[in-house]
Amino acid sequence: MKKTLFILLIFVTINSLFLNNLEPTYASIYPVSVSGQVLFSKEKVVLQIKTSPNDIVLINGEYVQPVNEIVSKEMNLKENSTLIIANPDGRSVKIKLTYPEIPSLLKSFLPSLNFSFDTGKLTFTYSGKLARRPKGTLKGNMSNKESKDSFTFAVDSSGNFAGTLKMAEGKNTIQSYVRYLLLVKYSLPDFTVEIGKSKVIKLIVNNKWMYVDGVKSEVDPGRSTTPVIIPDWGRTLLPIRTVIESLGGTLSWDGTDRKVTINISNTKIELWINKNYAYVNNKKVQIDSQNSKVTPIIVNSRTMLPIRFVAESIGAYVNWNGTEKSILIVYPKD
């Protein structure tokens, strides 16, 4: 019996050590807090995102610098919003907000609506105050078409109301109505919230490993090729096949013309060895507008491409960390 327990203890210890040394994987979305206020009367949305150190925040494809780990942004209510928060450790969340056309009657009764998303708990909380509160019983209902969750709220004597809805990864269609004296029902326009992730790839200069959503893999499997900086150019190049395939694209090589063709989503990129131009969706563009020397090259029988040009051409965001000489790719950026 003692021998059996001793063997079991050794097995558990080894198993624990093995599991603790595994690379982290992030199957769920990045938990962040997004709050804001919809100003119906001004047709504006004010967003506030609480970030963590080193977070990359993209709003409609544009990088926004956090201030004291907070990002604030005012946007037009008539334009949809895509928010992406990504961390170099591989976690990310993508939130797409589609706003409805706001009826004039709603603007006069409800000047603003406060809301917040908790992507960790997948909840949507809202509150507001009516500018004019009619006499009598006034109740409302808000529901999520996809998650089937709903919440009925009463508007108090001062015109205040609040509630919380459960969200789900993917599309969430928020439907709501207000009922007055149990007789008059006024339905409000639907709006949608899509919750998902972007791909996050981290590369390090002179390091054969890369991280895709936090999962470690080789940049050039079996060959130990690494991203390199060409000193005369000050640009980073790498064999990009594994990166493109990790993002869902394909890459082909034409040895006769010494040409690389990349296809991903709706983008086609054609590049040639030692040529400083490329074709992106059949349109000729210079690879680097600030340095005409930058071209695809062959190093140790491997085709090396300029990472920033390729990534930005397919619609990715690229961030360079000069301290650790790393590149972070967030795809797509909007």
Side-chain angles (χ1 to χ4, degrees), residues 76-97:
N76 193 321
L77 189 57
K78 293 183 179 180
E79 299 175 358
N80 298 331
S81 304
T82 300
L83 319 176
I84 295 174
I85 302 95
N87 192 279
D89 67 9
R91 293 177 293 171
S92 71
V93 61
K94 179 179 180 180
I95 305 171
K96 185 175 181 179
L97 305 174

Side-chain angles (χ1 to χ4, degrees), residues 124-329:
F124 168 62
T125 301
Y126 57 92
S127 64
K129 181 176 182 178
L130 299 181
R132 292 179 290 157
R133 206 281 192 203
K135 294 181 180 180
T137 303
L138 187 62
K139 292 186 176 182
N141 179 275
M142 189 171 280
S143 61
N144 186 335
K145 181 180 178 181
E146 281 71 30
S147 74
K148 308 301 181 184
D149 189 40
S150 65
F151 182 87
T152 299
F153 57 86
V155 181
D156 67 18
S157 58
S158 298
N160 297 301
F161 64 92
T164 299
L165 271 178
K166 292 180 181 178
M167 308 292 279
E169 290 191 43
K171 184 178 181 180
N172 297 267
T173 304
I174 310 301
Q175 302 173 318
S176 55
Y177 67 82
V178 176
R179 190 182 293 276
Y180 178 56
L181 295 176
L182 302 179
L183 298 175
V184 181
K185 181 180 178 181
Y186 181 72
S187 295
L188 303 175
D190 296 351
F191 71 93
T192 61
V193 181
E194 294 183 44
I195 303 175
K197 296 190 295 183
S198 284
K199 278 283 184 183
V200 180
I201 296 180
K202 183 177 181 179
L203 301 140
I204 304 170
V205 172
N206 298 325
N207 190 320
K208 72 174 186 176
W209 299 106
M210 70 177 191
Y211 298 84
V212 182
D213 296 338
V215 180
K216 186 178 180 180
S217 61
E218 284 192 85
V219 172
D220 193 13
R223 294 178 178 267
S224 299
T225 314
T226 70
V228 296
I229 296 176
I230 306 301
D232 292 343
W233 302 350
R235 299 292 186 267
T236 305
L237 280 72
L238 82 162
I240 207 166
R241 179 184 294 276
T242 305
V243 171
I244 293 298
E245 291 176 350
S246 297
L247 298 176
T250 61
L251 183 148
S252 61
W253 166 251
D254 182 336
T256 302
D257 292 335
R258 302 216 301 173
K259 170 187 169 185
V260 176
T261 301
I262 296 169
N263 284 283
I264 182 168
S265 189
N266 297 318
T267 303
K268 178 182 178 181
I269 307 173
E270 298 167 285
L271 309 101
W272 290 262
I273 299 299
N274 297 328
K275 291 187 178 181
N276 65 359
Y277 63 85
Y279 279 84
V280 179
N281 290 339
N282 299 317
K283 181 180 179 181
K284 187 177 181 179
V285 295
Q286 187 168 326
I287 290 175
D288 192 321
S289 60
Q290 298 179 349
N291 190 340
S292 61
K293 294 181 179 180
V294 178
T295 69
I297 59 176
I298 294 178
V299 177
N300 297 328
S301 301
R302 307 305 289 157
T303 302
M304 309 288 280
L305 302 184
I307 181 60
R308 181 176 291 276
F309 171 77
V310 173
E312 291 182 346
S313 294
I314 65 174
Y317 172 79
V318 181
N319 182 70
W320 166 253
N321 184 323
T323 303
E324 60 179 27
K325 289 185 168 52
S326 66
I327 305 104
L328 193 72
I329 299 171

